Amino acid sequence: MAGKTINIKVKVWRQGGKYPKGQFETYDLKDVGTDMSFLEMFDVLNEQLVSKKEMPVAFEHDCREGICGTCSMVIDGQPHGPMKGTTTCQLHMRSFKDGATITVEPFRAKSFPVIRDLVVDRSSFDAIIQAGGYISVNTGQAQDANAIPIEKDTSEKAFDAATCIGCGACVAACPNSAAMLFTSAKVSHLATMPQGKVESQKRVQAMVNQMDKEGFGMCSNIKACEAECPKEISTDNIALMNREYLASVLGSDKEG
Amino acid sequence: MSDKLKSNVPEGDLAEKWMNYRGTMPLVAPGNKRNIEIIVVGTGLAGASAASTLGELGYKVKCFTFHDSPRRAHSVAAQGGINAAKNYQNDGDSVYRLFYDTIKGGDYRSREANVHRLAEVSRDIIDQCAAQGVPFGREYGGLLANRSFGGVQVSRTFYSRGQTGQQLLIGAYSSLSRQIARGSVTMYNRHEMLDLVKVDGKARGIITRNLLTGKIDRHAAHCVVLATGGYGNVFYLSTNAMNSNVSAGWRAHKKGAFFANPCYTQIHPTCIPVSGEYQSKLTLMSESLRNDGRVWVPKKKEDCKKDPLSIAEEDRDYYLERIYPAFGNLVPRDVASRAAKYVTDDGRGVGATGLAVYLDFASAIERYGKSEANMKGISNPTKAQIVELGEAIVKEKYGNLFHMYEKITDENPYKTPMKIFPAVHYTMGGIWVDYNLQTTIPGCFALGEANFSDHGANRLGASALMQGLADGYFVIPYTIGTFLSKEIRTPIYSAEHTDLEKLKKENTDEEGNIKEFITPNAPEFIEAENAVKERIKTFLNVNGSQSIESFHRRLGRIMWDYCGMSRNAEGLAKARKMIQELRAEYHKDVFVPGSNEEYNPELEKALRVADFMELGELMVCDALNRNESCGGHFREEYQEGGGEALRNDEEYMYAAAWEFTQDNSDWNLHKEQLEYKDIEVKTRSYK
Ligand SMILES: Cc1cc2nc3c(=O)[nH]c(=O)nc-3n(C[C@H](O)[C@H](O)[C@H](O)COP(=O)(O)OP(=O)(O)OC[C@H]3O[C@@H](n4cnc5c(N)ncnc54)[C@H](O)[C@@H]3O)c2cc1C
Ligand code: SF4
Ligand code: FES
């Protein structure tokens, strides 16, 4: 680890408190270690602000390991920044050049209203899951876990979809603010597992309807979601969801 | 045994206690459940599983989390796996063996009956999670796969690549979501519990702050379940999520819940070493890596700064394999961490700071590569072919961990050994609970990492997820009935603005006696609410010159230096004084920006750090009281040959449960004597 440092400017969206309408503020940061993570850089910035008795920049984070889905920043126009398959908290300053001005904004979407600065409200995602993102099994009703063998490949496929962290970058990346990638990841995780197949058509209808109700946009196949998804969730899941949805509308599950 | 501590362990044979108890304990009839309200704080594995199951059973549940969604709870970050005595591998596992391993791993400081129950229900957990659609790792035949974790000689750990916590939490979260949709659970996201409310000695509710608006609310219920996680962040630097904190438990403690074994801290041997002053979080590299990684340092000090690849095999000290041939790299965490400390203390640490050891996958890559080549029928494979095939297997097993390591350190662990070092990871101590998971406050329960009962002085890998889900899915739904069955006649009026006098009248019998009823308008609630508001105001008014973060960092440093991997009486006494001084300084000179009536993470932090400052002192007292070494608690004065922990079973085979007294720096100690009837107490040896 080299211990290099860079000087940067951070142009940050501030909203709330002193900034009722919302605007950019630019801050200078000197001698930023390149081994620092992007959020550690924000910690340093906030320490500076607090030392001047100013309100620090509000941003959300928790695990800082790329798994909880809490962090959410648009960095130089890209949700979660320039590194592919990487959340904001896993991004490091070595991805930036000395002298750079880095622009940081919240995830923007009608269904993700800004709370303060870089913090948005993503409870619309919970509502989609509540509409049907589960298998209806009560505690204690399960049979032995090995009673249903599942092909390794099938299980891995379900797992890949299930790794979605619910961050919302897909929505922020989409010009239509669609939540198709997020919703389809859950639909496809559960529809792929034999345990989840039984109610899969009811599920897909309920979830898609909820997605519309929450005000997310339509999908027009741009695939920006896949490109920005930190977990590299595939748009194949969207195709699968569309098939499931169509089948459910046509009522093919009611046959025989 | 202190007469304030009743463990309420049922009579009978260890192996049958739980089954018999479950079959005979008082229940609440379905019709009555609808009239009973339960508050669950926390949506990690313990909280989400408890809230959803209690909702399924028909109780009215209110569930709280400070996160923006239940799915973000710290449990999501667990990597390696979850144990269960399924014996699917037919390698000699059994309920008894899991029980035995856990007791021994905990260095004979946990409660026998609780641990046995944990081992029993472990099997149901896997069934439940599979039914929820958790995509566990599988073999080609379609059956569930297992790996090994430290401190055991069987393969009983179920996993979903390196994201087991995430997958289990999503399972519990989806069950919880289903109950939210059904209306049996009301979810309060972004609400932080700031106090517990007791009425007539029973826990009857909580005071919360809405983190978006600052509004302080009173919530009443028949009982309160705390599933609020561990307190490792008292050390500032730990592998815990940034927002994990002790406040819910600490507030309950100050209202009368005893806090047990606070000094039992788990320092995890395989974390990415600290790289700079600005750091606020450490990253775990899952213990599962020790299945295949070999830990070593150079034999010679002068080799420590060299490129590890240039150090010849005979100049490497694979010290775990050398000292502990029976368990090798898979010794328990406390043992592995201490060993790393000894070799770095000896000046043989590596990396820029000298505070790191190597975790090397070269042998595993070669071994897997050869066997793959064999399977693929490649005769005389080249070295490059072997490496390529081997790397592919290692990638399949640990890909996401390697990826994470590379992102953080900018080094490729397939090509050069990882550098790792111990870091604070888990807290075995917590709120004291009886067999029913009830605290010393009637009607207040504690589950998951927040309680103290199952892991003794050291937790084995992959058993926290097991415990959280055991408590939430399979224990509390039953044991809560022991309290609630006596509450079915207590009406609740949960609206915040009911007229107290009117309610009193309604609940007065012919003889003029007022019947017990629950309302958030009771004076105890109002008093607690006012106290919370006052506390917030005090912090906002200090207007000092130092940041909350800087105080937290200083506290962490004291804890790590004097109450970390090894402790001694002199250092602990010093630490206690330092903490008291730091706390006084905090209340005089901290700066909390903004106001209460807004989204203000700094204010949240200010309240949490204040509680850590009090907890820190209790941890030091506990460590000072325990004149022995056991598990994660290593007192330098008590060791034998080669730095092994020296227990003192004569005097310290007890759980230390501390009672808060009104003086912030003074606690009463209550001892729960531990008895081992079904297991022979031995010196722990992994050699
Ligand atoms: C990096 C890492 C990896 C791990 N890997 C493993 C592993 O492989 N296997 C294993 O068995 N264990 C592992 N562990 C340990 C394990 O993850 C935890 O012990 C366990 O998940 C704790 O679960 P919990 O439900 O008790 O608490 P948590 O998951 O910490 O949940 C606490 C909940 O309480 C809420 N809360 C807390 N205080 C308040 C308050 N005042 N008001 C409102 N809400 C509150 C939080 O919002 C959260 O929802 C790991 C731990 C770490 C740090
Ligand atoms: S699909 Fe990807 S971008 Fe969208 S919420 Fe899930 S992890 Fe985030
Ligand atoms: S902070 Fe958890 S994913 Fe970034």
Side-chain angles (χ1 to χ4, degrees):
Chain A
M1 289 179 230
K4 254 183 58 187
T5 63
I6 53 176
N7 297 330
I8 51 168
K9 284 188 201 309
V10 209
K11 191 174 149 197
V12 188
W13 182 257
R14 308 283 326 240
Q15 182 171 340
K18 215 169 103 182
Y19 311 92
K21 287 208 189 103
Q23 69 186 69
F24 281 106
E25 246 336 321
T26 303
Y27 305 97
D28 276 311
L29 278 175
K30 300 248 173 301
D31 300 327
V32 177
T34 50
D35 283 336
M36 225 184 238
S37 76
F38 199 76
L39 295 185
E40 282 164 352
M41 182 270 286
F42 261 85
D43 293 339
V44 172
L45 168 63
N46 278 346
E47 280 280 290
Q48 284 182 16
L49 291 172
V50 170
S51 73
K52 290 189 269 181
K53 302 220 163 182
E54 284 179 35
M55 218 35 196
V57 182
F59 66 93
E60 283 199 293
H61 63 101
D62 200 25
C63 72
R64 297 208 178 187
E65 291 186 3
I67 194 75
C68 71
T70 311
C71 62
S72 48
M73 294 182 181
V74 175
I75 301 163
D76 286 336
Q78 283 183 286
H80 292 305
M83 276 269 267
K84 202 170 150 41
T86 305
T87 54
T88 301
C89 59
Q90 292 285 85
L91 183 65
H92 283 73
M93 295 314 292
R94 61 182 85 92
S95 296
F96 299 90
K97 291 209 169 66
D98 189 34
T101 298
I102 307 170
T103 308
V104 187
E105 297 166 82
F107 281 4
R108 295 197 194 271
K110 187 172 114 215
S111 310
F112 290 168
V114 173
I115 290 168
R116 182 165 201 146
D117 299 340
L118 304 172
V119 179
V120 298
D121 179 358
R122 288 169 283 188
S123 36
S124 45
F125 269 12
D126 282 335
I128 295 175
I129 299 295
Q130 283 158 21
Y134 45 75
I135 292 173
S136 300
V137 53
N138 281 358
T139 303
Q141 290 178 335
Q143 55 183 332
D144 186 85
N146 261 349
I148 311 180
I150 303 176
E151 259 186 289
K152 189 172 158 80
D153 288 350
T154 308
S155 173
E156 299 272 321
K157 213 174 113 205
F159 174 86
D160 286 339
T163 55
C164 162
I165 56 175
C167 64
C170 45
V171 176
C174 176
N176 309 329
S177 300
M180 292 290 274
L181 196 61
F182 167 77
T183 310
S184 68
K186 185 50 45 190
V187 164
S188 139
H189 156 212
L190 295 176
T192 306
M193 298 296 277
Q195 291 91 341
K197 275 223 174 79
V198 187
E199 32 180 354
S200 99
Q201 304 208 337
K202 190 168 139 236
R203 172 184 311 121
V204 71
Q205 282 215 6
M207 290 179 73
V208 168
N209 292 343
Q210 192 66 37
M211 192 174 78
D212 295 342
K213 233 189 267 169
E214 298 294 327
F216 289 103
M218 306 287 273
C219 174
S220 49
N221 255 321
I222 301 169
K223 300 199 175 177
C225 51
E226 184 182 83
E228 300 297 348
C229 171
K231 297 294 137 180
E232 305 183 319
I233 305 282
S234 156
T235 42
D236 291 352
N237 293 304
I238 300 185
L240 184 145
M241 176 164 85
N242 287 339
R243 279 200 304 277
E244 289 274 327
Y245 187 74
L246 209 64
S248 75
V249 177
L250 298 177
S252 63
D253 63 328
K254 310 232 162 53
E255 284 169 22
Chain B
M1 175 109 46
S2 160
D3 54 6
K4 289 200 182 172
L5 295 177
K6 276 224 190 81
S7 66
N8 291 317
V9 173
E11 294 297 320
D13 277 355
L14 183 67
E16 283 159 19
K17 273 184 207 291
W18 174 237
M19 228 166 41
N20 293 339
Y21 186 57
R22 220 177 54 181
T24 55
M25 68 173 52
L27 298 175
V28 178
N32 287 329
K33 287 198 178 100
R34 279 194 290 277
N35 304 321
I36 290 191
E37 300 195 18
I38 300 174
I39 285 176
V40 176
V41 189
T43 64
L45 287 183
S49 56
S52 60
T53 306
L54 292 167
E56 287 163 13
L57 288 172
Y59 292 110
K60 272 197 199 161
V61 179
K62 283 182 171 185
C63 186
F64 295 82
T65 170
F66 59 69
H67 286 99
D68 70 319
S69 161
R71 66 180 297 153
R72 314 251 191 248
H74 164 59
S75 293
V76 79
Q79 300 172 348
I82 176 166
N83 290 331
K86 280 286 198 185
N87 194 27
Y88 283 161
Q89 305 306 325
N90 196 26
D91 57 0
D93 201 9
S94 65
V95 166
Y96 185 82
R97 192 180 289 275
L98 174 53
F99 156 76
Y100 176 86
D101 287 344
T102 308
I103 295 271
K104 176 184 172 198
D107 221 352
Y108 306 91
R109 290 294 176 266
S110 45
R111 193 189 286 144
E112 195 181 51
N114 287 52
V115 176
H116 200 277
R117 174 175 67 191
L118 176 66
E120 285 170 59
V121 305
S122 68
R123 299 170 300 186
D124 301 335
I125 297 173
I126 302 305
D127 299 342
Q128 184 62 28
C129 296
Q132 288 169 343
V134 170
F136 283 119
R138 288 183 182 263
E139 307 287 359
Y140 282 107
L143 301 179
L144 293 169
N146 290 112
R147 52 170 63 136
S148 296
F149 261 54
V152 305
Q153 288 166 317
V154 294
S155 204
R156 63 160 75 98
T157 305
F158 295 79
Y159 61 93
S160 292
R161 259 181 249 170
Q163 284 129 279
T164 316
Q166 179 200 27
Q167 294 308 316
L168 295 175
L169 185 66
I170 288 177
Y173 160 71
S174 60
S175 286
L176 178 62
S177 297
R178 175 166 162 252
Q179 294 310 311
I180 296 171
R182 283 184 53 203
S184 59
V185 176
T186 309
M187 189 65 225
Y188 294 81
N189 296 329
R190 296 192 192 269
H191 277 69
E192 180 149 353
M193 164 185 165
L194 293 182
D195 213 347
L196 180 82
V197 183
K198 247 167 68 177
V199 180
D200 297 332
K202 296 179 201 165
R204 289 301 197 197
I206 60 174
I207 307 294
T208 60
R209 177 169 181 272
N210 177 327
L211 301 183
L212 295 181
T213 62
K215 187 162 177 296
I216 307 295
D217 291 315
R218 310 185 294 269
H219 295 275
H222 286 84
C223 67
V224 176
V225 176
L226 302 178
T228 46
Y231 52 86
N233 277 346
V234 67
F235 290 87
Y236 186 69
L237 285 177
S238 85
T239 62
N240 288 12
M242 297 290 288
N243 294 308
S244 297
N245 70 83
V246 75
S247 288
W250 194 252
R251 292 287 132 193
H253 173 56
K254 293 183 89 165
K255 285 282 167 84
F258 293 2
F259 209 103
N261 303 334
C263 81
Y264 290 165
T265 313
Q266 176 157 87
I267 316 263
H268 197 297
T270 54
C271 303
I272 300 181
V274 178
S275 71
E277 267 303 306
Y278 49 81
Q279 215 158 345
S280 55
K281 166 83 187 12
L282 296 176
T283 303
L284 175 77
M285 287 285 106
S286 168
E287 174 160 314
S288 57
L289 293 174
R290 286 197 275 139
N291 271 294
D292 285 311
R294 299 176 71 196
V295 177
W296 65 275
V297 290
K299 282 187 181 156
K300 295 182 257 169
K301 288 179 193 168
E302 56 273 24
D303 284 350
C304 289
K305 295 280 177 247
K306 284 191 190 153
D307 175 2
L309 299 178
S310 73
I311 299 172
E313 206 49 39
E314 62 273 18
D315 291 328
R316 300 174 176 196
D317 178 12
Y318 294 92
Y319 57 88
L320 290 178
E321 296 169 23
R322 173 171 59 80
I323 310 172
Y324 305 101
F327 283 71
N329 292 293
L330 280 173
V331 290
R333 294 171 176 179
D334 52 339
V335 177
S337 290
R338 259 195 309 280
K341 180 178 176 347
Y342 294 145
V343 293
T344 50
D345 284 353
D346 187 35
R348 292 189 289 139
V350 299
T353 55
L355 290 177
V357 300
Y358 291 125
L359 181 64
D360 197 332
F361 293 87
S363 313
I365 289 174
E366 190 180 324
R367 185 169 33 113
Y368 286 128
K370 280 189 180 148
S371 110
E372 276 293 291
N374 224 343
M375 265 166 43
K376 292 205 157 88
I378 308 173
S379 52
N380 292 325
T382 63
K383 180 118 206 281
Q385 269 177 320
I386 292 174
V387 168
E388 195 188 325
L389 290 168
E391 283 183 359
I393 300 289
V394 168
K395 182 165 184 189
E396 187 189 311
K397 292 188 138 182
Y398 313 110
N400 71 317
L401 296 169
F402 276 48
H403 190 52
M404 181 149 83
Y405 181 86
E406 184 164 3
K407 270 186 210 165
I408 294 174
T409 62
D410 208 16
E411 286 181 351
N412 178 351
Y414 294 98
K415 301 294 176 204
T416 183
M418 283 185 178
K419 289 199 248 331
I420 52 157
F421 200 63
V424 173
H425 179 60
Y426 181 90
T427 47
M428 281 74 68
I431 305 168
W432 186 90
V433 290
D434 68 3
Y435 189 71
N436 295 319
L437 304 183
Q438 186 165 233
T439 69
T440 46
I441 303 176
C444 178
F445 296 79
L447 322 182
E449 192 173 341
N451 77 23
F452 89 109
S453 69
D454 294 0
H455 308 294
N458 172 59
R459 175 175 71 80
L460 289 183
S463 58
L465 302 182
M466 167 172 75
Q467 184 221 334
L469 290 180
D471 288 0
Y473 283 135
F474 296 109
V475 179
I476 193 74
Y478 295 102
T479 59
I480 206 165
T482 56
F483 176 79
L484 289 177
S485 58
K486 290 175 276 177
E487 294 287 332
I488 52 174
R489 288 186 193 79
T490 317
I492 178 162
Y493 308 89
S494 33
E496 228 181 303
H497 299 287
T498 40
D499 181 348
L500 191 61
E501 291 311 313
K502 208 175 118 218
L503 292 181
K504 274 190 191 159
K505 240 179 251 154
E506 271 175 35
N507 287 285
T508 306
D509 63 15
E510 299 92 67
E511 281 138 53
N513 302 317
I514 303 177
K515 264 190 352 192
E516 192 177 7
F517 64 93
I518 303 167
T519 163
N521 286 325
E524 291 85 348
F525 274 90
I526 310 283
E527 204 179 296
E529 177 185 3
N530 289 338
V532 163
K533 286 180 170 163
E534 203 46 48
R535 188 147 48 95
I536 290 174
K537 217 187 284 161
T538 317
F539 278 109
L540 288 168
N541 288 342
V542 178
N543 199 15
S545 65
Q546 300 176 62
S547 70
I548 304 156
E549 200 72 13
S550 66
F551 278 106
H552 193 182
R553 203 176 288 136
R554 281 163 69 193
L555 173 67
R557 190 70 215 223
I558 300 173
M559 297 306 295
W560 178 250
D561 287 348
Y562 300 104
C563 198
M565 250 193 293
S566 73
R567 303 134 181 213
N568 62 56
E570 196 190 332
L572 288 164
K574 187 168 152 200
R576 182 166 187 189
K577 228 175 128 253
M578 289 169 80
I579 296 170
Q580 286 169 351
E581 285 163 9
L582 187 69
R583 200 162 62 211
E585 189 183 332
Y586 184 69
H587 289 275
K588 259 201 235 101
D589 197 34
V590 72
F591 170 65
V592 186
S595 68
N596 175 58
E597 285 70 34
E598 63 184 319
Y599 179 79
N600 189 348
E602 289 287 302
L603 174 59
E604 296 164 24
K605 207 164 28 172
L607 299 167
R608 295 171 188 168
V609 171
D611 291 337
F612 276 139
M613 296 244 184
E614 295 180 12
L615 165 76
E617 183 172 356
L618 181 59
M619 289 171 72
V620 166
C621 289
D622 187 44
L624 199 52
N625 170 69
R626 193 166 280 281
N627 291 310
E628 66 164 347
S629 295
C630 57
H633 169 66
F634 190 76
R635 280 281 300 273
E636 287 157 14
E637 304 95 317
Y638 309 99
Q639 53 178 304
E640 55 188 345
E644 299 296 329
L646 184 61
R647 274 195 339 249
N648 177 348
D649 291 340
E650 291 277 289
E651 287 175 89
Y652 291 97
M653 199 133 90
Y654 64 75
W658 299 90
E659 177 185 18
F660 182 78
T661 64
Q662 283 323 305
D663 176 354
N664 256 341
S665 269
D666 191 23
W667 284 267
N668 293 330
L669 172 62
H670 300 267
K671 299 177 185 175
E672 180 194 345
Q673 223 58 50
L674 299 167
E675 289 171 8
Y676 297 97
K677 294 197 186 122
D678 283 73
I679 195 167
E680 189 197 345
V681 178
K682 291 195 257 190
T683 299
R684 216 162 50 125
S685 167
Y686 293 94
K687 286 191 172 166

